[in-house]
Amino acid sequence: MSDLKNQTCEACQADAPAVSDQELKELMREIPEWAPVSRDGVMQLERAYKFKNFKKAWAFHELVAQMAEDEFHHPTLTLEWGKLTVTWWTHAIKGLHRNDFIMAAKTDALLEKLDS
Ligand SMILES: C[C@H](O)[C@H](O)[C@H]1CNC2=NC(N)=NC(=O)C2=N1
């Protein structure tokens, strides 16, 4: 079991390999709260985090945005009252790269940084 949350993203070019079906299955085991979704034929990873109000969701949004910039790999973030939906995929390959699983695991790890 690789420790995805402690890995870093690699620079992603257009010819980078998308994860295989087998790799997808294996990697999903490490991020069980996430769902693989297909949008307009593009495979993505998505998780909706629930919070007690907008301010908490906003605080988590800030943490995720900063982490994305630090790793230079960016998600779609949908911020609502009491909820932040995070979606990862790799634009350069129009699909899922190992980077997306690393970032999903890092996103889960960020929850512990939120003051309760
Ligand atoms: C120029 C290009 O946008 C950059 O290389 C990075 C920025 N962040 C990125 N984020 C994501 N999710 N996919 C990318 O392909 C990507 N590319």
Side-chain angles (χ1 to χ4, degrees):
M1 165 96 99
S2 61
D3 187 11
L4 286 174
K5 69 178 180 299
N6 293 322
Q7 297 176 27
T8 55
C9 290
E10 62 188 52
C12 216
Q13 311 297 334
D15 61 353
V19 294
S20 67
D21 290 348
Q22 181 57 31
E23 285 167 329
L24 173 70
K25 229 166 90 181
E26 286 162 13
L27 290 164
M28 285 310 300
R29 284 196 207 111
E30 288 201 56
I31 48 166
E33 306 289 330
W34 290 74
V37 295
S38 176
R39 286 212 174 84
D40 303 325
V42 178
M43 282 305 292
Q44 305 173 354
L45 296 174
E46 190 154 290
R47 180 177 178 183
Y49 294 86
K50 307 287 174 58
F51 299 95
K52 64 183 181 184
N53 54 39
F54 185 82
K55 202 168 173 192
K56 284 278 182 200
W58 186 3
F60 189 58
H61 173 274
E62 293 298 307
L63 291 178
V64 179
Q66 185 58 61
M67 184 260 291
E69 191 59 15
D70 294 345
E71 290 286 337
F72 207 62
H73 195 70
H74 303 88
T76 296
L77 299 173
T78 307
L79 178 60
E80 305 167 73
W81 192 98
K83 185 165 135 180
L84 178 70
T85 303
V86 184
T87 309
W88 292 103
W89 82 99
T90 299
H91 306 201
I93 65 169
K94 295 185 176 58
L96 286 176
H97 184 275
R98 188 178 176 78
N99 287 349
D100 300 305
F101 294 83
I102 291 169
M103 296 305 278
K106 285 180 181 293
T107 308
D108 284 347
L110 278 182
L111 270 179
E112 290 140 40
K113 286 195 179 172
L114 264 186
D115 50 20
S116 48

